[in-house]
Amino acid sequence: MRINRILLKGYKRFRLDNIDQLEAEFPSNVTVIIGSNGSGKSSLLSELCPLPGVRSDFEADGRKELDITHNGKNYQLISDFSNKSSPHSFIENGTELNIGHTTDIQNELVLKYFGITSSVRDLIYNKIKLTKTTKAERRNFFLKIAPMDLSLILDTHKKTLGKIKDCKANLTLLYTKKNNLESKMMSEEVLSNNINTKDKLKAKSSALQNVILSLTQHIETIKNTYREDLLYNETINTYEIHQAYLKFRRNLLNYTCVARGEKFDKEKDKLNSELSKLNEKKENSLKAIESLTNEIEEFNKHLDSNENARSANAIEKDIQEIDSALSELIVSDIEAIPENEYQLHYNCIEKIQSSLQTFMNCSTDMLPIDELYEKKARLRELKQSLDSYNININSLKESIMEIENELTAFKEKAQVPAECSMKCGLRSIFRLRIDKLNEKIKLTKDDLMNKTHDRDKLAEEYKKLISLLTPFIKYKLVEAFNSIKDCLCGSKFNLYKSDADLIERINKQPVKLIADMNEIMKMSDIIHKRDDLLNKRKLLETELSAIVSSSNVSTSFIKKELDKKTIKLGKELKNKTDIDKQLKRVDAIWRRYQEYSTDLNVIRELQDKYNRGERSLVVKKAIEYWTNVRDKYSQMNDDIQEELRNIETIIKEQEMLRHTYDTEIIPSINKITKDREVLNKIEYALSPNTGIPHDTMVKYLNVMINNVNYFLSQIWSYKMQLDTISNDGNLDYGFPLTVYHNQSKDISLLSDGQCEVIDLVWVLSILLQMNLLKNIPFYADEISRCMDTYHRGKTLQFLNSLIDNNLISQLFIINHFAAISEGFTDSNVVCLNNDNLNDLPNNTNEFVKITYN
């Protein structure tokens, strides 16, 4: 390819020199572009490329034209920027090939017909500075220009590297998950222990549920069986029962004649029949007495006073004797005890004396009955409370032992060492369970201590009450007191006003109490003797009156008959008296039966109420007890269920972890590991450093290195030679070399002049290897600016020799030195601005037309 002509109109980079249009032809193989600094030399050099111009570099009416000869054909490349949408044309032998006039089509046509790309442009313009690039940039560059199309292999290699990277990332993630899972997973032994514990807890929970069900059924059975007792809510008045019992005890002496048990009803019926018979006998006796009395009165009317059995003097004498006896008697103002009750009262005195002897033997003062009963009731309450406390204390001790055993068993099963620093969920659950059991033990022990303290206080009070009440129990003082009270209440001694008065006399004057009763009995004898004397005197006075008023008519007959009637009347009176006594006795016994029946019914009714209340209390306590037992087992079951849920959660988590570990993590790791091994082999085979691209690039680079070394030998004055690349070595795109007698690791370490010549010969070698050096122009923009005069001249001579040998078909160079050198004396010279320039060649701008603004 040869550039014959260029036209630039409205090119912004020529503004400094006020150039509006530049048109130049290039008949020679070498064109030297000169000009002052900033005149646009490099810009003109860049526009000599067939690639389309850039709109931003031109004015609105700007234009670029290139006439090119290539392979025997003429091409005209035009960029007319006055056309806002379609500025580009590609004309081959007069035929427009860029129908759309677009930039993309223009670039494609340049590539198709001239083989020029942006990379090639950088090469031919000597913009590739290998000494200034990194190894990675060199690798990418050489792979891009390699003769073999390695793009597919490199793309595959790149994708393989991505997949290897993904495999590595996935493996890292999977191993992280694997380690995380392994840190959370239990050993088989611990998991087996947990499963065994779960089975045991299930069995224990099932057993507890059966016990709870049995207890619930038992409680329901009690409720159904004793439903009436549970519904009984009448308050038990122990005081009322006690008072009724005391009244009954006081009346017991009056009920000694009452039969007990099965004989009660028979004896009562018998008494009723006997009362009926006695009333009938009494009525008959009263009728007989009335008849006899009337007869005697008739006989007495006819008696003669001179023939009476006794004289008036004898009767008067008897009256005087009675008066004498009455004057000797000393009588107190008391109620005399009837003679028929003497034996009963003497028996009462004996009982009271025996009971008082009991008090004197124990040397303990009697207390009020109400107070005693209160203390006994308190004693029963204390006994019940102590029993309840003892049951609760024993239950708490058992609970503490059970919890401690459970804690010990749990620690043995868990087998977590004390120095374990794991923070897994299992250890947290284990510690939570341990803390919960310890807290439960502490609370139970506190409760046990409180209940033990309360029980000890109650036990002290109970002990004091026992000490106080022991004599009353041992010597039966209450029974003795009630016996004394009952005897006194059932008698007519009337020696006390109240229970407190009687208790005071028993405690302070027991002997005087017996003496008072004996005194009453003695005074009763005197009173009865007085009454007998008075009755006898009254009868004598009646008889004396009768003697005085009687007459002497029919004396002997009347007297005889009167004696008979009197004897008969006496017998009848005696019979009546006996009947009255029997009637009184039987009636008294009958009343006792009635009173006993009434009192007994009251006692039985109260006793029945008491028994029902006690039974209701017992049933309620039994239900409460079994309910507490059921609640205790329910709580134990709840604790077991909670522990079971925790263990099941742990086992489920472990099963999920193991399932994830065995079915996801491990298979994935194995699969990705195998995939990575395959990918590593593929990557090794496709790697630019080890595989097919490596072998291709080593051969390719060594050819160019040999050319570089040849070109250097033609330019440089001392040895400067690149090392060839070993086929077995690692291709890292570093180019070590020998400079004079020294070894340098890479071309980037050379001096500026050395780097400049290295970059030049590398570009020439690359273009030669690409078969572009003699097919397209070569552009040199002051390539020897860092070289000394000798090497600058040698470089220009080398370029001239390449032209002479047809290795470079056309050369465009910016170099003032070149313009006056012997080697380029016949070259075309384009001068954009001659300011500060001397000794311009004669042919300067010979084929150039410049139009200024």
Side-chain angles (χ1 to χ4, degrees):
M1 183 187 77
R2 182 180 182 85
I3 298 175
N4 299 318
R5 169 180 169 273
I6 186 172
L7 184 144
L8 294 174
K9 182 178 185 305
Y11 190 55
K12 292 181 180 180
R13 298 187 181 183
F14 289 163
R15 285 178 178 175
L16 186 63
D17 293 328
N18 294 320
I19 297 175
D20 177 55
Q21 178 175 310
L22 180 144
E23 183 179 4
E25 295 181 355
F26 309 109
S28 176
N29 292 336
V30 179
T31 300
V32 179
I33 301 172
I34 60 176
S36 61
N37 291 335
S39 59
K41 300 185 296 297
S42 298
S43 298
L44 173 61
L45 192 67
S46 66
E47 293 299 330
L48 288 169
C49 178
L51 291 175
V54 180
R55 182 183 294 273
S56 60
D57 292 337
F58 291 84
E59 302 290 347
D61 59 346
R63 183 180 181 87
K64 173 184 175 181
E65 294 181 5
L66 278 179
D67 293 343
I68 299 174
T69 302
H70 182 62
N71 293 332
K73 295 182 179 181
N74 296 320
Y75 297 89
Q76 189 175 20
L77 279 63
I78 302 172
S79 295
D80 185 4
F81 294 108
S82 62
N83 188 333
K84 302 299 181 183
S85 59
S86 304
H88 304 295
S89 294
F90 193 97
I91 301 172
E92 179 187 29
N93 293 332
T95 304
E96 177 64 62
L97 300 181
N98 189 354
I99 305 302
H101 303 287
T102 62
T103 304
D104 292 338
I105 298 298
Q106 193 82 354
N107 286 324
E108 290 178 4
L109 292 172
V110 170
L111 174 63
K112 177 180 178 180
Y113 288 93
F114 306 133
I116 296 177
T117 63
S118 60
S119 300
V120 173
R121 182 184 63 185
D122 292 340
L123 279 172
I124 60 179
Y125 275 89
N126 198 23
K127 292 183 178 181
I128 301 300
K129 307 295 183 181
L130 293 181
T131 58
K132 308 300 181 184
T133 57
T134 63
K135 294 179 180 180
E137 291 173 340
R138 296 174 190 171
R139 181 192 64 190
N140 295 334
F141 172 74
F142 283 116
L143 288 174
K144 188 174 182 180
I145 65 171
M148 179 186 288
D149 188 2
L150 299 175
S151 59
L152 178 61
I153 295 175
L154 294 176
D155 288 342
T156 305
H157 177 261
K158 186 176 181 180
K159 292 177 181 179
T160 304
L161 287 177
K163 291 181 180 180
I164 292 173
K165 185 178 180 181
D166 293 340
C167 288
K168 183 177 180 181
N170 291 334
L171 281 175
T172 302
L173 180 61
L174 286 172
Y175 275 110
T176 301
K177 290 183 178 180
K178 176 175 177 289
N179 295 333
N180 188 26
L181 288 175
E182 288 175 347
S183 66
K184 294 179 179 179
M185 286 166 58
M186 298 177 179
S187 65
E188 291 292 340
E189 182 179 359
V190 175
L191 182 60
S192 177
N193 289 337
N194 277 285
I195 294 173
N196 293 333
T197 303
K198 183 186 80 170
D199 296 337
K200 290 179 181 179
L201 288 175
K202 281 187 175 180
K204 191 173 181 180
S205 177
S206 178
L208 283 175
Q209 288 174 358
N210 292 332
V211 172
I212 292 169
L213 179 61
S214 300
L215 289 173
T216 303
Q217 293 174 348
H218 180 60
I219 291 170
E220 291 300 321
T221 302
I222 293 174
K223 288 181 179 180
N224 294 329
T225 305
Y226 301 99
R227 185 176 300 278
E228 293 182 359
D229 294 325
L230 284 173
L231 296 175
Y232 185 78
N233 293 320
E234 189 172 346
T235 304
I236 303 172
N237 192 340
T238 55
Y239 179 76
E240 182 183 354
I241 296 174
H242 176 62
Q243 292 300 318
Y245 178 71
L246 289 179
K247 180 181 178 183
F248 186 73
R249 287 291 303 272
R250 286 194 297 269
N251 294 332
L252 277 179
L253 289 175
N254 297 331
Y255 303 146
T256 56
C257 58
V258 178
R260 305 290 195 272
E262 297 177 355
K263 295 180 180 181
F264 179 81
D265 292 332
K266 293 180 180 180
E267 291 296 326
K268 189 176 181 182
D269 293 339
K270 186 177 179 181
L271 285 172
N272 191 21
S273 177
E274 188 175 354
L275 274 175
S276 300
K277 290 179 181 180
L278 287 173
N279 284 325
E280 185 179 354
K281 285 182 180 181
K282 181 180 179 180
E283 186 177 353
N284 294 332
S285 178
L286 287 174
K287 290 179 180 180
I289 290 171
E290 184 180 0
S291 176
L292 288 172
T293 302
N294 291 334
E295 290 177 0
I296 290 172
E297 286 179 356
E298 289 295 328
F299 280 111
N300 283 333
K301 291 178 182 179
H302 301 287
L303 284 177
D304 185 32
S305 60
N306 294 326
E307 294 185 8
N308 285 302
R310 295 188 59 184
S311 64
N313 294 330
I315 292 172
E316 289 177 357
K317 185 178 179 181
D318 291 338
I319 289 172
Q320 288 176 358
E321 290 177 357
I322 288 171
D323 290 338
S324 177
L326 286 171
S327 63
E328 293 177 358
L329 294 176
I330 300 173
V331 181
S332 299
D333 187 13
I334 64 171
E335 181 183 358
I337 296 172
E339 290 181 330
N340 61 347
E341 296 182 6
Y342 269 22
Q343 188 59 43
L344 178 64
H345 282 72
Y346 278 121
N347 293 337
C348 182
I349 290 172
E350 290 179 0
K351 288 182 180 180
I352 291 173
Q353 189 170 4
S354 176
S355 297
L356 288 173
Q357 187 63 41
T358 301
F359 280 102
M360 290 186 284
N361 289 338
C362 72
S363 67
T364 300
D365 290 343
M366 182 63 188
L367 297 174
I369 297 299
D370 292 342
E371 184 179 347
L372 277 174
Y373 276 101
E374 288 177 1
K375 291 187 180 298
K376 285 185 178 180
R378 177 59 179 163
L379 188 66
R380 285 194 296 273
E381 291 177 2
L382 289 175
K383 181 66 169 63
Q384 293 175 357
S385 298
L386 285 174
D387 292 341
S388 176
Y389 270 106
N390 286 329
I391 291 172
N392 290 333
I393 287 171
N394 291 332
S395 176
L396 289 173
K397 288 180 179 178
E398 292 175 359
S399 298
I400 291 172
M401 291 181 63
E402 290 176 0
I403 298 171
E404 289 177 345
N405 293 335
E406 183 181 358
L407 180 60
T408 302
F410 186 73
K411 288 181 177 179
E412 291 176 354
K413 289 177 182 178
Q415 295 180 352
V416 177
E419 64 273 9
C420 178
S421 60
M422 293 173 61
K423 297 183 179 180
C424 59
L426 176 61
R427 178 173 175 84
S428 299
I429 292 173
F430 170 75
R431 290 307 312 167
L432 181 64
R433 181 62 177 162
I434 292 291
D435 295 341
K436 185 175 181 181
L437 290 174
N438 286 327
E439 180 66 19
K440 195 171 182 181
I441 291 173
K442 181 179 179 300
L443 293 175
T444 307
K445 285 185 176 180
D446 293 341
D447 192 14
L448 175 62
M449 184 175 67
N450 294 331
K451 280 186 167 50
T452 304
H453 178 70
D454 295 341
R455 183 200 61 180
D456 292 342
K457 289 175 64 177
L458 293 177
E460 184 66 26
E461 183 181 356
Y462 181 79
K463 184 177 179 182
K464 290 180 181 179
L465 281 177
I466 285 291
S467 176
L468 177 64
L469 296 177
T470 297
F472 291 91
I473 298 171
K474 179 178 180 182
Y475 296 102
K476 299 181 179 180
L477 296 184
V478 176
E479 289 80 353
F481 175 76
N482 288 332
S483 177
I484 294 172
K485 185 177 178 182
D486 292 342
C487 289
L488 291 176
C489 290
S491 67
K492 297 183 180 180
F493 288 128
N494 295 326
L495 293 175
Y496 74 100
K497 298 177 182 179
S498 63
D499 288 354
D501 183 33
L502 179 59
I503 290 172
E504 184 176 1
R505 295 199 67 179
I506 290 172
N507 292 336
K508 296 182 179 179
Q509 298 173 327
V511 178
K512 189 175 183 302
L513 183 61
I514 298 296
D516 290 343
M517 288 189 289
N518 287 327
E519 183 65 27
I520 290 171
M521 293 301 295
K522 183 178 178 181
M523 188 56 64
S524 295
D525 288 337
I526 295 173
I527 291 172
H528 286 303
K529 187 175 181 180
R530 182 197 66 181
D531 292 340
D532 289 342
L533 290 174
L534 290 172
N535 289 334
K536 189 174 182 181
R537 188 178 187 281
K538 188 174 181 180
L539 290 174
L540 288 174
E541 286 178 347
T542 303
E543 185 179 358
L544 182 61
S545 299
I547 290 173
V548 173
S549 61
S550 63
S551 64
N552 293 324
V553 180
S554 302
T555 302
S556 55
F557 175 77
I558 293 171
K559 183 178 178 182
K560 185 177 180 181
E561 290 298 325
L562 183 60
D563 289 338
K564 291 179 181 180
K565 296 292 182 183
T566 302
I567 292 171
K568 189 175 181 180
L569 179 60
K571 289 181 179 179
E572 199 61 44
L573 286 171
K574 185 176 180 302
N575 184 33
K576 176 182 174 296
T577 302
D578 292 339
I579 290 173
D580 286 339
K581 288 182 179 180
Q582 292 180 19
L583 189 59
K584 184 178 180 181
R585 179 182 62 79
V586 174
D587 185 60
I589 294 173
W590 171 258
R591 286 198 303 272
R592 293 291 185 268
Y593 267 84
Q594 291 291 98
E595 293 171 0
Y596 178 80
S597 179
T598 302
D599 291 346
L600 189 61
N601 287 335
V602 171
I603 291 295
R604 284 176 176 172
E605 183 179 352
L606 292 173
Q607 186 65 39
D608 182 61
K609 289 183 179 179
Y610 179 80
N611 290 338
R612 288 191 65 186
E614 286 292 319
R615 192 164 56 250
S616 176
L617 184 62
V618 169
V619 171
K620 289 177 181 177
K621 286 187 176 180
I623 291 175
E624 181 182 0
Y625 172 76
W626 289 117
T627 302
N628 290 335
V629 173
R630 182 185 64 183
D631 293 343
K632 177 182 177 182
Y633 283 118
S634 296
Q635 183 61 42
M636 291 173 61
N637 188 48
D638 291 341
D639 294 340
I640 289 174
Q641 288 295 330
E642 182 180 357
E643 184 176 356
L644 190 59
R645 284 192 294 271
N646 292 335
I647 291 179
E648 286 178 342
T649 301
I650 293 171
I651 293 174
K652 187 175 181 180
E653 289 177 354
Q654 289 298 312
E655 290 175 349
M656 292 176 64
L657 291 174
R658 286 185 177 277
H659 181 269
T660 304
Y661 185 84
D662 295 334
T663 62
E664 296 180 16
I665 302 300
I666 297 302
S668 297
I669 288 175
N670 294 335
K671 182 179 180 304
I672 293 174
T673 301
K674 291 180 181 179
D675 292 344
R676 188 174 67 170
E677 292 175 356
V678 173
L679 290 171
N680 284 334
K681 292 179 180 178
I682 295 174
E683 189 276 332
Y684 184 84
L686 301 179
S687 173
N689 297 325
T690 57
I692 296 172
H694 171 271
D695 297 339
T696 302
M697 292 305 295
V698 167
K699 294 178 182 178
Y700 179 61
L701 290 173
N702 281 334
V703 171
M704 288 190 290
I705 288 172
N706 290 330
N707 290 332
V708 167
N709 289 333
Y710 172 76
F711 291 157
L712 286 173
S713 65
Q714 297 300 313
I715 298 173
W716 218 247
S717 60
Y718 52 85
K719 183 180 180 181
M720 187 163 57
Q721 185 175 1
L722 272 69
D723 298 340
T724 57
I725 302 170
S726 172
N727 289 326
D728 299 331
N730 183 26
L731 180 58
D732 61 353
Y733 292 91
F735 298 117
L737 72 165
T738 302
V739 180
Y740 199 60
H741 297 296
N742 298 321
Q743 185 71 27
S744 179
K745 292 182 178 180
D746 189 70
I747 58 177
S748 61
L749 303 176
L750 299 176
S751 66
D752 291 342
Q754 292 171 337
C755 287
E756 192 171 25
V757 71
I758 287 291
D759 289 333
L760 174 63
V761 296
W762 257 115
V763 168
L764 293 173
S765 177
I766 291 170
L767 290 173
L768 179 64
Q769 191 66 25
M770 294 174 67
N771 294 321
L772 293 176
L773 188 59
K774 64 181 179 179
N775 291 326
I776 58 176
F778 182 74
Y779 305 88
D781 188 355
E782 297 189 41
I783 55 175
S784 58
R785 70 180 65 185
C786 296
M787 299 180 191
D788 55 28
T789 304
Y790 173 78
H791 288 104
R792 184 183 296 115
K794 290 289 288 182
T795 300
L796 294 177
Q797 290 177 8
F798 172 70
L799 291 175
N800 194 27
S801 67
L802 292 177
I803 293 173
D804 294 340
N805 294 321
N806 293 322
L807 291 178
I808 296 177
S809 61
Q810 189 175 17
L811 174 64
F812 293 95
I813 185 170
I814 298 174
N815 195 304
H816 297 288
F817 179 75
I820 58 175
S821 66
E822 296 178 357
F824 294 133
T825 55
D826 58 346
S827 63
N828 297 326
V829 178
V830 177
C831 180
L832 298 178
N833 189 328
N834 59 6
D835 293 344
N836 302 320
L837 294 179
N838 299 317
D839 301 326
L840 292 175
N842 295 326
N843 61 344
T844 300
N845 290 338
E846 182 179 357
F847 303 100
V848 179
K849 295 180 181 180
I850 298 176
T851 303
Y852 295 93
N853 292 326

